[in-house]
Amino acid sequence: MLLFNGAVLCIMVYACLAQDTSLDNLIADIFKTGESSTSATQITGSDVVTAQPTRSSSSSGQYQSCGDQKECVPRWLCTNNTINTSGENIIDIRIDTAAPCKNYLDLCCDLSNKKDTTDTPITQPDAAKGCGYQNPNGIGFKITGAVNQEAEFAEFPWMVAILREEAQLNLYECGGALIAPNVVLTAAHCVHNKEPNSIVVRAGEWDTQTKKEIIPHEDRYVKEIVYHEQFNKGALYNDVALLSLESSFTSQENIQPVCLPSPGDIFDYERCFATGWGKNKFGKDGEYQVILKKVDLPVMPKQQCQSNLRETRLGKHFILHESFICAGGEKDKDTCKGDGGSPLVCPIKGEQNRFKSAGIVAWGIGCGEENIPGVYANVASLRSWIDEKLKVWQINPKYYTP
């Protein structure tokens, strides 16, 4: 996905558009549909049946034993004196082989201290608060050991994974951003010529190999896909698409929409965030990410971006299309293969921890090369097209308007 601290996330123009079977296998290992990653939404046949959200990580109530009268339980289900209930639990996400519990989200708990519900304060989001609010400290716990720029749990609640349903497996296809309870903004190259009923959107995801987060993720089928009429699948001009979902996501702290920019918004030189589960570097040695990653990037002005890209194999006559925006150019910090469709979000001036979508990961030349930015669909320049489609779907602008 993103390149972080020596690991770069970048999307090649051609690599974005194709996915070989070996990559499918890699992604299937991450976004598995087995017991370890069961969603709060059960998908059976063509129906989506949403389970009632719970705070427990084990529907069966069975936990791993870690000693006499002790069990490994989610940290927020133990009254152990070393664990607070202020929402500021500190969890080291690095693997500790000496820990009595296999999962870093678990704690070895005396049975007398085990609870069925959490005391960790988790509140329903204030609908009147609006779109685009980041949770910079996460929800329910805060991580340490994030040496590869792992995001906090629910830090970017608009981030979604777009999955392709195949042979009873959900295979990771691209990223996207929630802009309304039942609408996702993504790249056209991710869903071009795809059948809507083959695509599943997962919101509220964080660690793709566990279902032990304090708030579960949810899955929804796609009802309709629209992408820009002038989308060019070769050059990726107008690389934008909207997904209408069969039903709305639950409004909870790890599932919230991002704001959209106003038409003509300029983000030059601003430092913004890109997020995703894509590869940590380009090429066969890159690995898809298990925990959602984030990378902060500067937006590069168009003329500078075009000039820098002309120094690559694109050549001195390359012209950067008006539907693109550029970000990055710092060594080892970028988006990469598998991050297509993921959002680039920039701060809303004068509002703390609030963001709007500036870009959609589209393509790049390598990943994390110095002075070579990643290229994103320019959401502000495509805003009128987005508004036109949302109006047809009768989506209330309150969901995505700051």
Side-chain angles (χ1 to χ4, degrees), residues 358-379:
I360 304 166
V361 177
W363 60 274
I365 301 297
C367 295
E369 302 291 334
E370 192 167 4
N371 297 321
I372 306 300
V375 183
Y376 302 72
N378 186 337
V379 179

Side-chain angles (χ1 to χ4, degrees), residues 244-394:
S244 173
L245 309 180
E246 287 192 350
S247 61
S248 296
F249 282 112
T250 304
S251 178
Q252 50 192 35
E253 288 182 290
N254 63 334
I255 303 177
Q256 290 294 304
V258 70
C259 301
L260 293 182
S262 299
D265 272 0
I266 303 295
F267 300 96
D268 290 356
Y269 304 109
E270 290 188 29
R271 292 205 73 90
C272 305
F273 281 109
T275 50
W277 290 277
K279 295 180 87 169
N280 59 354
K281 57 184 174 181
F282 184 69
K284 64 180 181 180
D285 295 329
E287 296 179 351
Y288 287 90
Q289 304 303 292
V290 172
I291 292 176
L292 181 68
K293 301 296 181 68
K294 63 181 178 182
V295 61
D296 66 296
L297 301 166
V299 174
M300 184 179 288
K302 180 179 179 180
Q303 289 304 313
Q304 181 185 347
C305 177
Q306 178 175 277
S307 176
N308 288 17
L309 290 174
R310 286 178 173 179
E311 298 300 317
T312 71
R313 65 175 178 273
L314 294 172
K316 63 181 181 179
H317 300 296
F318 172 74
I319 297 176
L320 185 67
H321 193 262
E322 62 184 7
S323 66
F324 292 131
I325 186 175
C326 301
E330 298 178 344
K331 186 171 177 56
D332 295 338
K333 295 178 74 175
D334 201 350
T335 47
C336 207
K337 182 171 175 59
D339 288 319
S342 296
L344 174 75
V345 298
C346 295
I348 295 178
K349 290 181 175 63
E351 299 199 48
Q352 190 173 15
N353 303 323
R354 197 177 189 192
F355 292 82
K356 52 186 170 182
S357 174
I360 304 166
V361 177
W363 60 274
I365 301 297
C367 295
E369 302 291 334
E370 192 167 4
N371 297 321
I372 306 300
V375 183
Y376 302 72
N378 186 337
V379 179
S381 74
L382 296 165
R383 176 65 194 270
S384 60
W385 179 88
I386 294 171
D387 284 343
E388 175 188 326
K389 304 306 177 185
L390 294 179
K391 185 176 182 180
V392 171
W393 286 344
Q394 299 183 323

Side-chain angles (χ1 to χ4, degrees), residues 194-206:
K194 298 283 196 310
E195 291 296 326
N197 60 10
S198 70
I199 301 296
V200 176
V201 173
R202 177 168 294 174
E205 181 64 279
W206 180 62

Side-chain angles (χ1 to χ4, degrees), residues 84 105 372 380:
N84 64 51
L105 293 176
I372 306 300

Side-chain angles (χ1 to χ4, degrees), residues 29 82 133 139 143 168 172-173 190 249 278 295 318 328 362 366 384 388:
D29 285 342
T82 64
Y133 282 97
I139 296 296
I143 59 175
Q168 297 183 322
Y172 180 77
E173 190 79 15
C190 291
F249 282 112
V295 61
F318 172 74
S384 60
E388 175 188 326

